Amino acid sequence: MTTTDDPNKGPGGFECDVIVVGTDGSDEAARAVAWAGGLAARIDAAVVAVHAVGLLDHLPGEHQTVSIDIRDQIQALLESEWTQVLRDLGVEHKCVMEEGPPLLAIPRVAEREGADLIVVASHGKGRASALLLGSTSHGLAQMAELPVLILPTR
């Protein structure tokens, strides 16, 4: 992440080449993907759409096949419906399914991809949402080593 005097690079001259956006297929996450895509289109950045997985791997024996099928279905959704807006905007992007909970997976991908910004949706239900332990957006805002943009619920 660098700053520049070129106002076309982003807010306050903020230079952003890679935006990581968390998605889980929800309506709120779709808004985050669309917002990240819109920003990326304006400042000529790439987007990395991340879906965190891992809980399926712990299913017992006979359910392993189910977890592989579900994983394949999620990957297909991530690469199609969940990121369609990025293709519509003509934004360079890639899709990543990352092992682990979102609070760990999203920053790990951001670091690996050299991201300058993380975008996530808030799934909160008002002021009390910040008090809920385990909130991905709140946790990212506290722990991430780069800027995190949290889109509020409508």
Side-chain angles (χ1 to χ4, degrees):
M1 172 178 52
T2 59
T3 57
T4 177
D5 292 331
D6 182 354
N8 294 326
K9 280 294 188 184
F14 172 72
E15 188 172 324
C16 183
D17 297 318
V18 179
I19 300 168
V20 164
V21 60
T23 185
D24 60 8
S26 66
D27 289 343
E28 294 86 358
R31 286 184 53 237
V33 173
W35 198 96
L39 177 61
R42 286 196 310 275
I43 63 173
D44 195 29
V47 173
V48 179
V50 179
H51 179 74
V53 295
L55 296 176
L56 298 175
D57 293 339
H58 302 292
L59 292 174
E62 70 271 5
H63 298 293
Q64 287 295 323
T65 303
V66 173
S67 77
I68 292 169
D69 290 343
I70 292 171
R71 187 178 295 273
D72 290 344
Q73 290 172 12
I74 292 170
Q75 182 74 41
L77 287 168
L78 178 61
E79 293 177 359
S80 61
E81 292 176 33
W82 297 357
T83 54
Q84 182 62 48
V85 68
L86 301 176
R87 284 182 293 287
D88 292 346
L89 291 167
V91 170
E92 178 186 341
H93 70 281
K94 72 187 226 180
C95 301
V96 176
M97 283 185 38
E98 184 74 7
E99 296 297 323
L103 190 56
L104 299 176
I106 293 170
R108 189 169 50 238
V109 172
E111 181 178 351
R112 189 172 62 231
E113 298 292 332
D116 302 296
L117 176 67
I118 295 173
V119 176
V120 291
S122 170
H123 295 265
K125 297 176 179 76
R127 291 183 184 174
S129 68
L131 301 176
L132 297 175
L133 295 176
S135 167
T136 298
S137 57
H138 184 258
L140 285 171
Q142 297 296 316
M143 294 176 44
E145 296 183 10
L146 62 150
V148 177
L149 186 137
I150 302 170
L151 290 173
T153 56
R154 292 183 200 217

